[in-house]
Amino acid sequence: MLFPKRLASPFFPILSIFLLCIISSQSWSQTLEPSPDKTIEQKPGPMNGLPPEKTPTSPNQAELREKFKNQIGGFGFGRSEKYYSLQIARMLDSQWAIGLNGYTNTYVNRFDNDAAYSYFLPPHDFYGRLRNNQEKYWGGAFFVQRFIADSPFFVSLWLGREHYQKNQTALYWESAGNTYRFEKDSYSSGPRNYAGFGVGFRFQTTSGLFFGWEGVWSWYAPYRNSFSVSDLYYSDRTASIGDLLYRRYAYQNAERLPGSSFGLNLFVGWAF
């Protein structure tokens, strides 16, 4: 027996087409969205308005002085002039420092000679001098330093005490009478109290090493002098007490130390 054919309902084809459109739209949107792992990070720059990246910088002089508060330094050299110094300082903060300085300076001059001819004063003759002398300074001071902002430059105030001593042997000769005079003199002064003002430069490295210089102007308070002539010989006669007093008086007036002076202090050291 044959059954008649029924017509298919249009609901199922429409539903199939609608589901196919939804699935295809989801897969297309997934292909357009970037993967979170592959997101490109934008770098700061003037084009995108982001602030520039901060690059690490080395510490400045003020920060290094804060880090290395204790300082031990000095300087020394020696040939005809021998100079040695020792300096200890402590940073109170990045700009203020206090410390102590000790120094000694010795100058030796051997075979210092000169000659002169007397034309206007009789007798017209040649006169000469041959001298060996040694000068020595030694002393110490307390100082306060003030650095200028973050720079390595500073100004300082000094309060110190200094000693001075000079010894010499001299031979004076005259060619006309074939005469000579030999004498041995010494001169000392001190202690000389002084106040000073300094301007300097100190550069601190990141390893702890530092170096620099300082020029100091000093003004001395009144001090005592001491003169002596220990030996006096004449070739043509015996020296008397009057000769000895006269030579001491002449030496006293020839040796005058100034009331102020300038000195340059060099230093290299280690801070910690």
Side-chain angles (χ1 to χ4, degrees), residues 65 91 93-98 143-157 197-200 214:
R65 291 193 293 265
M91 296 298 306
D93 54 24
S94 62
Q95 294 182 327
W96 288 94
I98 59 175
F143 61 85
V144 178
Q145 294 177 345
R146 175 65 162 85
F147 285 85
I148 302 174
D150 296 338
S151 72
F153 293 94
F154 63 87
V155 294
S156 63
L157 295 177
F197 172 77
V199 177
E214 183 177 7

Side-chain angles (χ1 to χ4, degrees), residues 209-223:
L209 179 70
F210 67 87
F211 59 90
W213 54 265
E214 183 177 7
V216 181
W217 289 265
S218 302
W219 292 268
Y220 297 93
Y223 52 89

